[in-house]
Amino acid sequence: MIKTVFFDVGSTLIDADPDIDGAFHEVAVRRGHELERAEVSVHLPAVNRFYEEEYLRDGDFWCSPEGSVEMYLDMYRYLSHLTGLGHDAEGIAREVNESYCRPAHWRILDDVLPCLKELKRRHLRLGIVSNWSSNLESLIRGLRMAPYFDEIVSSADVGYRKPNPMIFTIAMERMGIEAGEAVHVGDRPDADGRGAEAAGIRPIIVDRAGACEDCGYATVRSLAELVERF
């Protein structure tokens, strides 16, 4: 019998708002640089590749407060050089990173709050298991989502990151449950699917774009559909 639903955060519950190009542009202009947002947007594919390559090479930057911050600073430094602002890369990178520590720079996805409310109405306990920096709990509180969650576990705080099953084991111990009593909902088959499965938890992949149908795990197109599973 399922007693607990764990959730990933990024692209599962919330998205950056504005995206990196918008936040970078705001900071650059505020710092006195003449730059059009389109001049930043054109480099987003390269920045996204940078993150994916770093993650696949060694995603353990998520396992410490310092590493999780430094990875993002490297992304924004790289974008500074791509846009011709390498001479101010350090200042821009730190301001962009600070902006994403604020709730105002994040948007709760439309299907999230109705789902959380309905799961709580059905007396399910909810938790977060996410590869995230140490500011995760304060960010969730700032977005006024904390009352829905019994536990918030970030990789930077516990020293393990998905797909390592230890991060799920820690979450289960905190919740006082067994693996068969939980499901985990996230957007990445490699991290959320493999990690939850390795811990004995049934994974469900949120596939809003319809890109993960053949991932080997149960999928839903929205969290509204997730509610129907319980």
Side-chain angles (χ1 to χ4, degrees), residues 2 6 163 165-166 168-169 172 178-184 192-203:
I2 299 301
F6 291 120
M166 275 302 299
F168 291 99
T169 299
M172 287 188 288
E178 301 293 330
E181 298 173 318
V183 299
H184 174 69
D192 298 297
R194 283 173 42 213
E197 185 177 54
I201 296 172
R202 179 163 64 95

Side-chain angles (χ1 to χ4, degrees), residues 205-224:
I205 303 301
V206 182
D207 184 22
R208 292 186 175 91
C212 300
E213 293 177 354
D214 299 323
C215 68
Y217 302 110
T219 63
V220 293
R221 292 298 294 269
S222 75
L223 294 188

Side-chain angles (χ1 to χ4, degrees), residues 59-201:
D60 282 352
F61 56 76
W62 280 125
C63 296
S64 71
E66 300 80 12
S68 57
V69 171
E70 196 62 31
M71 183 277 301
Y72 277 118
L73 291 176
D74 281 345
M75 281 177 55
Y76 307 141
R77 291 173 184 131
Y78 178 45
L79 186 52
S80 297
H81 286 282
L82 291 176
T83 54
L85 301 178
H87 58 288
D88 194 21
E90 196 63 28
I92 292 173
R94 294 196 176 277
E95 282 198 35
V96 174
N97 186 67
E98 288 169 6
S99 72
Y100 281 126
C101 292
R102 298 192 288 270
H105 275 68
W106 295 90
R107 175 178 67 90
I108 302 172
L109 295 169
D110 293 341
D111 56 357
V112 169
L113 293 182
C115 172
L116 300 181
K117 290 175 183 177
E118 179 60 20
L119 294 179
K120 294 299 281 187
R121 190 188 70 80
R122 299 184 187 192
H123 306 293
L124 288 161
R125 300 178 70 205
L126 308 182
I128 284 175
V129 179
S130 185
N131 291 347
W132 206 277
S133 55
S134 291
N135 76 320
L136 179 58
E137 184 166 351
S138 64
L139 178 63
I140 294 298
R141 290 191 181 282
L143 290 168
R144 300 182 181 178
M145 297 172 68
Y148 294 105
F149 296 104
D150 298 278
E151 289 289 344
I152 297 173
V153 179
S154 75
S155 57
D157 283 335
V158 301
Y160 299 97
R161 53 99 176 178
K162 298 177 293 186
N164 190 321
M166 275 302 299
I167 190 171
F168 291 99
T169 299
I170 291 169
M172 287 188 288
E173 288 175 350
R174 290 184 180 181
M175 298 283 276
I177 60 168
E178 301 293 330
E181 298 173 318
V183 299
H184 174 69
V185 182
D187 68 300
R188 292 190 64 127
D190 56 348
D192 298 297
R194 283 173 42 213
E197 185 177 54
I201 296 172

